[in-house]
Amino acid sequence: AIRLMLNIYGLTRKQAGLPEDVVKPHNKQQKQTSISLFFTTKRTNKFHDAVKKTPSDHNAEGRFQFFSFEDMDLIQTYVPNNGMKEASFHRRKTWDDDMNKFLKSRLQILRACGKENRTLLWCGDLNCARDYRDGTHWEERNETQKGDGKKSSYFYEWWTDESKCFMSNPEKNRNPEDHGMPSFTPAERQRFSKMIENGNFIDIWRDLHPDGSHIKISMQFKSCWDNPNWTWRAHPSKNSKNKYEGRGQRLDYFLLSRSSALEPIKCDILGYGSQRKGLFCGSDHGASILILKR
């Protein structure tokens, strides 16, 4: 994406104030995948084996697409899940660090050509719940402070309570910043906040629905957690109730640069409820809609 931007604006990395690009050399002994293998029948498994052996610059888990239009840029991503082991924590941190680096490099390029206010829209499954409101089954609780005995309130999160949210015991000896369900750990949230800061983004849905949204349809929700405020929903149980049934997370976002002249007039989550009503299309993530006005 950075190379594309440099090409569009006719800049070198040096002119944009960026360090020289380091290209990792591929193993010359590895052969390029033959195009004919794309049409090989599945029974041979030749394509699958060849792809595994073919070197690639692509992330093994995440997805990143960058589109440059006349008056705006668009990023669509699938951010890798944080997982619950040290190796997966490292993979996710590397992704987040690379994304932060991209946002800073993009801004440097735009500043070099006097277009620092160019609109950027970032959307997709970002696999992070920004705060307690982005997971179901939170509640405000009171606690008594040690020493002075004064009472203070805090927000309890089911998704960070490891005695409740895990199916099995997580890996021991983890850093405190990696505690909690994937997408809810302090480390993920801190890095996500940093990306929002570096990109100077507005979280459009939350900006339009600070207290959540309430759809007006002819049905009664069993609980407030059925409202369309979370994009991911646990799989409904057919026979016996599982611990995740009825729970949800907001992991999918539309982030828009604050300098944009585009005005968000609608941003809604189209899937809702523990039974995945609305627009899920066979996925565990409901669809979302965004309408911008010039």
Side-chain angles (χ1 to χ4, degrees):
I2 292 299
R3 293 174 193 169
L4 173 63
M5 289 189 66
L6 290 170
N7 184 56
I8 290 174
Y9 297 114
L11 296 174
T12 63
R13 297 185 68 88
K14 184 176 182 179
Q15 289 172 329
L18 301 177
E20 288 301 315
D21 197 8
V22 178
V23 180
K24 297 180 181 179
H26 290 320
N27 187 339
K28 294 182 179 180
Q29 295 180 347
Q30 291 179 311
K31 296 181 179 180
Q32 184 177 359
T33 305
S34 169
I35 190 65
S36 63
L37 291 177
F38 283 87
F39 303 99
T40 304
T41 58
K42 292 183 179 179
R43 287 176 296 177
T44 65
N45 289 323
K46 289 183 179 179
F47 172 68
H48 179 265
D49 293 339
V51 169
K52 288 172 65 178
K53 297 177 181 178
T54 302
S56 173
D57 290 330
H58 296 291
N59 188 280
E61 298 180 34
R63 298 292 180 266
F64 176 97
Q65 293 177 305
F66 177 78
F67 304 90
S68 183
F69 299 100
E70 182 179 352
D71 55 357
M72 69 173 291
D73 295 330
L74 171 67
I75 302 173
Q76 194 281 330
T77 63
Y78 167 74
V79 176
N81 188 281
N82 195 53
M84 289 182 280
K85 295 185 177 180
E86 192 63 38
S88 60
F89 297 157
H90 177 73
R91 287 196 298 270
R92 173 59 183 270
K93 183 180 183 302
T94 299
W95 170 279
D96 290 345
D97 290 345
D98 286 346
M99 191 67 200
N100 245 326
K101 181 180 177 181
F102 166 78
L103 292 172
K104 291 180 180 179
S105 297
R106 174 185 176 273
L107 186 56
Q108 277 188 253
I109 293 172
L110 294 177
R111 281 175 176 166
C113 54
K115 297 180 181 292
E116 58 266 33
N117 291 327
R118 180 175 170 82
T119 294
L120 175 61
L121 176 63
W122 180 12
C123 60
D125 178 357
L126 308 192
N127 253 326
C128 186
R130 285 189 67 191
D131 60 36
Y132 69 91
R133 297 171 295 176
D134 296 315
T136 59
H137 296 79
W138 57 266
E139 61 181 55
E140 187 173 7
R141 294 180 176 180
N142 294 318
E143 64 179 357
T144 302
Q145 299 290 334
K146 293 181 180 180
D148 56 15
K150 293 182 178 180
K151 289 187 177 181
S152 61
S153 63
Y154 71 98
F155 290 100
Y156 165 83
E157 295 184 72
W158 188 88
W159 291 104
T160 62
D161 184 348
E162 295 190 346
S163 67
K164 303 288 186 181
C165 66
F166 282 122
M167 293 292 288
S168 58
N169 293 328
E171 190 173 278
K172 296 181 180 180
N173 301 320
R174 290 171 298 144
N175 292 324
E177 63 181 14
D178 294 319
H179 284 195
M181 202 70 172
S183 301
F184 289 79
T185 65
E188 291 172 273
R189 285 175 161 174
Q190 290 168 10
R191 294 194 299 266
F192 190 40
S193 295
K194 197 65 179 177
M195 284 185 274
I196 290 177
E197 178 185 337
N198 287 336
N200 196 25
F201 288 120
I202 297 171
D203 177 355
I204 299 178
W205 186 88
R206 181 60 70 191
D207 194 59
L208 294 178
H209 309 286
D211 299 316
S213 62
H214 304 275
I215 59 174
K216 297 179 180 179
I217 58 177
S218 57
M219 67 173 291
Q220 293 294 321
F221 288 133
K222 293 182 179 179
S223 78
C224 63
W225 308 120
D226 284 334
N227 284 317
N229 297 330
W230 301 277
T231 59
W232 174 89
R233 292 284 180 170
H235 186 73
S237 177
K238 294 182 179 179
N239 300 316
S240 59
K241 186 177 178 65
N242 67 65
K243 69 190 303 178
Y244 298 117
E245 185 174 4
R247 302 182 189 274
Q249 305 172 356
R250 187 172 75 101
L251 306 178
D252 304 83
Y253 294 80
F254 291 107
L255 303 179
L256 182 68
S257 52
R258 292 183 180 274
S259 59
S260 175
L262 299 175
E263 178 188 358
I265 58 174
K266 181 177 183 180
C267 186
D268 290 322
I269 297 169
L270 304 181
Y272 51 87
S274 59
Q275 297 302 307
R276 292 182 182 167
K277 301 294 184 180
L279 201 58
F280 278 91
C281 303
S283 173
D284 53 357
H285 287 251
S288 299
I289 185 173
L290 171 66
I291 299 177
L292 298 170
K293 180 181 179 181
R294 288 184 180 277

